[in-house]
Amino acid sequence: MIAVKRVVVKLIIAQLDFLVGDIEGNSKKIISACKKARDQQAQLIVFPELALTGYPPEDLLLRPELYQRCDVTLQNIIDAVKDIDVVLGYPKQTEKGLLNIAGVIQSGSITHEYAKQTLPNYKVFDEKRYFVEGEQACIAIIAGIPMGITICEDIWVDQPVTQAVKAGAKCIININASPFHIHKSQQRQQVVEDHARLSDIPVVYANLVGGQDELVFDGESFVVDEKGNVVRRAPAFEEDLFGVTLEWDQQRVTVPAQECADLLDENESIYRALVTGVRDYVHKNGFKGAVIGLSGGIDSALTLAIAVDALGAEHVEAISMPSRYTSAMSIDDAKQECRNLGIECELVSIESAFNAFLELLDPLFKGLPVDATEENIQARCRGILLMAISNKKRKMVLTTGNKSEMAVGYATLYGDMAGGFAVLKDVLKTRVYALSNWRNAQSNVIPQRVIDRPPSAELASDQKDSDSLPDYAILDPILQRYIERDQGAAEMIAAGFDEQIVSRIMHMVDITEYKRRQAPPGVRVTERAFGRDRRYPVTSGFRYGRQ
């Protein structure tokens, strides 16, 4: 009997964080990773989707100069990388149109190019705006193994993988820029497991990591064997080169069990997504740190904890700005959280500024009752102070409003909405409590009284959120159904929600689109965030109950 020659192949997944548009910087990072992988005796290194440009490049793809830079830097990579095969994502202009490419670099040249066949055009994706679809499978012989190359969305449908297997693929390499949302890890893993079982071959899933504007990419690259078992998983939200061992007996590729990082639980995954989003947004946009208005309430407390975890205490500034309605408890709690996190808490009263505005406006407001206008003036006084600090110190203002408030307009334009990045923009209030408790379980930084006390904007005497809004335990499920699932009133009422409350909340959401359109971007953690995910007209006559 002739012994079967069994070959061990080492592959590296480059789970890296790239800056969109920084083609030269990205190429240097790619070359460095290739050399490190080669030094680790790897035969192949796999990069995420569109690694050369960063993802998503959006309308940068409409600029001719981008392709000139891509051509130059791609050649630099080819010239610099020796003795290791590379799978790399980049865009390519052709006679057919612009293609989303996974190129295979071998022995100083590009030997294969696969064009993405399945272009997502839903939710945060609009790839059909830029790219045309590929049509053909791509099989590259890498370390002797016929490997089928696919890109991101290709793995979510049947044809590209089936096509590659029919063409002779013994392993699938799938490069990705798959953004995070709650439960995404489980969804993508199930899809890949099903493909592996049905095709009876392993799948290598290489994902991007890092933050890009609203989107966060969690990494969690993984490998599934031919039976659909996850045999290697990289940690979430960590940038590194992760080795994978394949075995090839000239007929089949098998993947022995290797180190598998655990999937994160729901609250930890969201918290780490928020930290990643803040870190990359501040750093990639060239700010020296962040400044936060600290009210003593739970939203600003959680935002501060996230900012310190993302940027380090030395790069975060907290400002408490009390007015006549701010309780001593709020000031004390703000100071305590700053002590817990190792930062100074600056105290700047807005009373003189508030009085000055009231005096200026008194002749114009004569005979008119006090209402939300005076409350909003306080919030705008605070916004002016924070933006002044931002301008002077080159620190980004992180706003502290949550998704529940943004949904119903319980926020002040040019006041508490003024800033560069809205950390909790996609986090409902009930989730704010859950995340605060999760963070305190790691180390106690948010005073328990902040979590336990009834929430209040403290813009009027004895004010509570419940004066203006239903209890968050009622409000948030309605918002979730209406905003994230597109449910109508009839469905929610049938599910047991009060008709008057449903009608009121839907109306509040509908009439405050103009506010949300002017809000800063924030981290997307659900399947339907405000921003590029949810594009409703500002001017609209479509209202609940109107025929």
Side-chain angles (χ1 to χ4, degrees):
M1 181 180 293
I2 299 174
V4 175
K5 184 180 179 183
R6 199 170 193 83
V7 178
V8 176
V9 177
K10 184 174 182 181
L11 172 156
I12 293 286
I13 296 175
Q15 182 171 289
L16 299 178
D17 186 353
F18 295 99
L19 174 57
V20 165
D22 185 15
I23 297 165
E24 293 80 5
N26 292 342
S27 68
K28 290 177 182 177
K29 195 167 193 174
I30 289 164
I31 291 169
S32 175
C34 289
K35 291 179 178 178
K36 288 178 182 177
R38 182 196 59 201
D39 292 345
Q40 295 174 25
Q41 285 74 54
Q43 289 103 314
L44 170 65
I45 182 168
V46 180
F47 290 91
E49 179 181 10
L50 292 179
L52 187 58
T53 58
Y55 188 92
E58 299 184 281
D59 279 10
L60 289 176
L61 292 168
L62 304 179
R63 300 180 68 91
E65 183 185 352
L66 178 132
Y67 302 100
Q68 297 167 13
R69 294 187 183 186
C70 283
D71 289 344
V72 171
T73 53
L74 189 55
Q75 188 59 52
N76 290 340
I77 293 168
I78 293 168
D79 293 342
V81 175
K82 308 295 182 186
D83 303 320
I84 187 170
D85 292 347
V86 180
V87 176
L88 177 65
Y90 52 88
K92 183 178 180 178
Q93 289 179 317
T94 69
E95 292 181 356
K96 293 181 179 180
L98 181 62
L99 299 175
N100 183 338
I101 292 289
V104 181
I105 301 171
Q106 297 175 304
S107 303
S109 65
I110 297 175
T111 57
H112 303 77
E113 287 186 318
Y114 170 78
K116 186 175 183 179
Q117 297 189 52
T118 311
L119 302 178
N121 219 60
Y122 58 89
K123 295 185 179 176
V124 299
F125 304 106
D126 50 7
E127 290 194 17
K128 290 185 179 180
R129 176 179 172 88
Y130 311 106
F131 298 108
V132 296
E133 296 173 344
E135 299 173 350
Q136 302 297 322
C138 176
I139 308 298
I141 306 300
I142 301 174
I145 303 173
M147 292 191 177
I149 312 297
T150 60
I151 301 176
C152 205
E153 192 77 6
D154 289 331
I155 205 76
W156 291 81
V157 298
D158 292 335
Q159 181 180 341
V161 174
T162 302
Q163 191 182 51
V165 172
K166 286 181 178 179
K170 300 300 182 181
C171 178
I172 297 292
I173 303 290
N174 182 246
I175 67 171
N176 296 268
S178 177
F180 169 86
H181 64 67
I182 300 168
H183 306 309
K184 184 67 171 288
S185 299
Q186 294 86 344
Q187 292 173 10
R188 64 166 77 106
Q189 183 172 308
Q190 185 63 59
V191 167
V192 174
E193 287 174 353
D194 290 346
H195 272 301
R197 274 193 296 268
L198 288 170
S199 303
D200 195 32
I201 63 173
V203 180
V204 177
Y205 185 100
N207 196 25
L208 183 67
V209 72
Q212 173 59 33
D213 295 342
E214 299 172 27
L215 302 180
V216 171
F217 301 90
D218 53 325
E220 278 193 339
S221 303
F222 62 97
V223 181
V224 175
D225 69 14
E226 74 282 2
K227 296 177 182 176
N229 302 310
V230 175
V231 291
R232 178 77 164 104
R233 184 188 296 112
F237 303 104
E238 291 187 20
E239 186 180 25
D240 209 342
L241 305 180
F242 298 97
V244 178
T245 299
L246 309 178
E247 295 182 356
W248 167 237
D249 65 3
Q250 315 307 310
Q251 297 294 324
R252 297 178 62 85
V253 175
T254 55
V255 190
Q258 295 159 62
E259 184 178 356
C260 280
D262 293 332
L263 291 176
L264 304 181
D265 68 33
E266 194 167 285
N267 287 320
E268 182 177 4
S269 68
I270 296 170
Y271 190 90
R272 292 188 64 183
L274 296 170
V275 166
T276 300
V278 169
R279 181 199 67 217
D280 274 14
Y281 196 79
V282 171
H283 287 165
K284 288 180 177 179
N285 284 290
F287 284 80
K288 295 180 179 178
V291 58
I292 297 169
L294 199 58
S295 68
I298 191 168
D299 296 318
S300 64
L302 178 61
T303 301
L304 184 64
I306 291 167
V308 169
D309 289 342
L311 306 172
E314 68 275 18
H315 298 296
V316 179
E317 189 168 351
I319 313 293
S320 174
M321 297 169 285
S323 74
R324 67 191 66 174
Y325 301 115
T326 305
S327 66
M329 181 194 309
S330 293
I331 297 172
D332 290 344
D333 288 343
K335 289 179 178 178
Q336 183 60 53
E337 186 183 10
C338 286
R339 284 194 292 270
N340 292 346
L341 289 166
I343 65 175
E344 295 294 323
C345 182
E346 299 289 343
L347 196 67
V348 182
S349 173
I350 64 165
E351 195 62 25
S352 59
F354 183 36
N355 283 329
F357 276 112
L358 292 178
E359 185 178 339
L360 284 169
L361 291 165
D362 184 61
L364 303 173
F365 287 175
K366 191 174 292 292
L368 298 175
V370 172
D371 57 17
T373 304
E374 285 74 16
E375 296 181 21
N376 291 336
I377 290 170
Q378 295 167 69
R380 289 176 179 134
C381 287
R382 293 179 174 126
I384 289 170
L385 285 170
L386 292 172
M387 288 307 302
I389 294 167
S390 175
N391 292 159
K392 187 67 70 175
K393 298 185 178 182
R394 191 61 186 167
K395 291 181 177 179
M396 180 172 287
V397 176
L398 301 180
T399 66
T400 62
N402 60 63
K403 188 173 188 175
S404 304
E405 295 168 345
M406 292 298 298
V408 297
Y410 196 61
T412 303
L413 268 176
Y414 326 120
D416 55 311
M417 289 175 65
F421 200 60
V423 180
L424 305 178
K425 186 177 180 179
D426 198 30
V427 181
L428 292 168
K429 185 77 170 188
T430 46
R431 179 71 72 177
V432 169
Y433 285 103
L435 293 176
S436 297
N437 284 318
W438 180 87
R439 180 60 183 84
N440 271 2
Q442 315 313 306
S443 63
N444 204 317
V445 295
I446 300 174
Q448 190 60 41
R449 184 166 62 178
V450 172
I451 297 173
D452 294 340
R453 64 187 289 202
S456 169
E458 291 193 321
L459 297 172
S461 295
D462 301 319
Q463 186 181 49
K464 293 182 177 61
D465 289 7
S466 56
D467 299 336
S468 304
L469 301 173
D471 186 86
Y472 286 110
I474 297 171
L475 173 64
D476 283 359
I478 294 173
L479 294 176
Q480 201 167 33
R481 287 167 178 265
Y482 187 43
I483 295 165
E484 297 176 20
R485 303 181 201 167
D486 290 318
Q487 286 192 6
E491 290 174 276
M492 289 187 270
I493 293 165
F497 292 94
D498 180 83
E499 181 175 3
Q500 288 188 329
I501 294 176
V502 168
S503 174
R504 179 184 165 215
I505 296 309
M506 290 174 67
H507 179 72
M508 293 173 77
V509 172
D510 289 347
I511 65 172
T512 52
E513 188 63 37
Y514 77 100
K515 280 190 178 182
R516 290 188 292 273
R517 190 65 65 89
Q518 299 179 69
V523 183
R524 173 186 185 261
V525 298
T526 71
E527 291 192 67
R528 183 68 68 84
F530 293 127
R532 61 187 293 159
D533 230 358
R534 186 178 185 274
R535 308 176 195 183
Y536 275 72
V538 172
T539 306
S540 171
F542 190 89
R543 297 284 185 268
Y544 166 67
R546 184 178 295 176
Q547 301 297 321

